[in-house]
Amino acid sequence: SMMYVGADGKPLDVDGESGKNTVYAINTFKKQNNIYKVNGEQWQADGVFDEKCWCRLGLGSDDPAAVSNASIRKMYDWAVKTCNDPNTGYSQEYRNERKVNGITYFDCSSFVYYALYYGGFSVDPKAWPFTTYNMQPVLLNLGFREYDAATVIWKPADILWSQEHTEIVYQGADRAGSGYTMGAHGKTNRALADQVSINTFISTYTKYPKLYRYEG
């Protein structure tokens, strides 16, 4: 967590929106990190979390692992955009990104699968997406490394896994083994907008014992 506050002086709520408090926090982050005080550029209060911000977080193309981090950023951006799309829903029957009556469907593991695809990883968009039961070796083959989710600080775009469920880390918390997640959560007792979304509560390693992080 960046631990920056909004214009109201309060910590930000994770809601997937770029409101005035988020813009204020982004501008604070840019100013404190001198992001625009290089090569004669002047700092701008534009509220845009751009390439240089990603680089400061180790997810931009100026990082030594340029190609891999660019792919991870694309994967992450697709996941956020899809979670914020009101026309997405959860379905095991239509989990292969099938659109029915204007709604595009995923289940938990196919959401991760298509995030990888749109990030540029080598998975077949025409194949039946992997499941929680067979995704682990695929992730390892793609260059992800397995960690004990309880012992590491979660980072954006890490993939969390259990036999029953998988999601992508939206934002880590202040302590190891916890953070905010995003993905296809299910449809039982959930409105359509909440079936594929960014969670507003913290999840922990007790739900996800394993974490996969891309390291090339």
Side-chain angles (χ1 to χ4, degrees), residues 27-39 41-43 52 56:
N27 287 334
T28 302
F29 173 80
K30 295 174 87 167
K31 189 170 186 177
Q32 289 184 355
N33 285 279
N34 296 319
I35 286 173
Y36 281 98
K37 292 185 178 179
V38 293
N39 299 326
E41 293 179 276
Q42 297 299 312
W43 178 79
K52 292 181 180 179
R56 177 63 180 81

Side-chain angles (χ1 to χ4, degrees), residues 179-213:
Y180 297 93
T181 69
M182 57 182 170
H185 316 304
K187 62 182 179 181
T188 303
N189 298 322
R190 286 187 175 92
L192 179 65
D194 298 324
Q195 293 176 15
V196 180
S197 65
I198 300 169
N199 281 325
T200 58
F201 56 85
I202 291 178
S203 296
T204 71
Y205 66 90
T206 57
K207 184 172 183 178
Y208 304 103
K210 293 184 180 181
L211 178 147
Y212 290 86
R213 177 171 295 162

Side-chain angles (χ1 to χ4, degrees), residues 31-168:
K31 189 170 186 177
Q32 289 184 355
N33 285 279
N34 296 319
I35 286 173
Y36 281 98
K37 292 185 178 179
V38 293
N39 299 326
E41 293 179 276
Q42 297 299 312
W43 178 79
Q44 302 174 39
D46 55 11
V48 177
F49 203 86
D50 57 13
E51 178 73 18
K52 292 181 180 179
C53 295
W54 284 112
C55 291
R56 177 63 180 81
L57 294 176
L59 290 170
S61 60
D62 289 345
D63 188 271
V67 176
S68 65
N69 283 337
S71 296
I72 284 294
R73 191 176 71 252
K74 289 179 182 178
M75 167 191 161
Y76 180 86
D77 288 347
W78 178 89
V80 171
K81 179 180 178 181
T82 303
C83 283
N84 288 329
D85 184 345
N87 295 311
T88 57
Y90 181 95
S91 171
Q92 292 185 331
E93 181 180 3
Y94 304 138
R95 65 189 294 270
N96 57 331
E97 204 184 20
R98 184 172 169 184
K99 182 177 286 188
V100 180
N101 296 325
I103 306 300
T104 302
Y105 289 98
F106 306 91
D107 72 355
C108 67
S109 49
S110 71
F111 179 88
V112 174
Y113 186 91
Y114 288 109
L116 291 166
Y117 167 71
Y118 287 108
F121 289 92
S122 183
V123 296
D124 185 355
K126 297 180 180 179
W128 192 248
F130 57 39
T131 69
T132 55
Y133 293 99
N134 62 13
M135 66 186 286
Q136 294 174 277
V138 176
L139 294 176
L140 294 174
N141 287 336
L142 290 175
F144 284 78
R145 179 180 173 184
E146 180 183 304
Y147 287 91
D148 178 347
T151 63
V152 295
I153 296 289
W154 296 3
K155 296 181 179 181
D158 286 344
I159 297 173
L160 300 164
W161 178 92
S162 75
Q163 283 194 341
E164 295 79 24
H165 197 57
T166 181
E167 295 204 9
I168 297 171

Side-chain angles (χ1 to χ4, degrees), residues 9-34:
K10 298 178 181 178
L12 300 179
D13 291 325
V14 179
D15 58 8
E17 301 294 332
S18 184
K20 66 177 183 179
N21 289 319
T22 300
V23 169
Y24 181 90
I26 291 172
N27 287 334
T28 302
F29 173 80
K30 295 174 87 167
K31 189 170 186 177
Q32 289 184 355
N33 285 279
N34 296 319

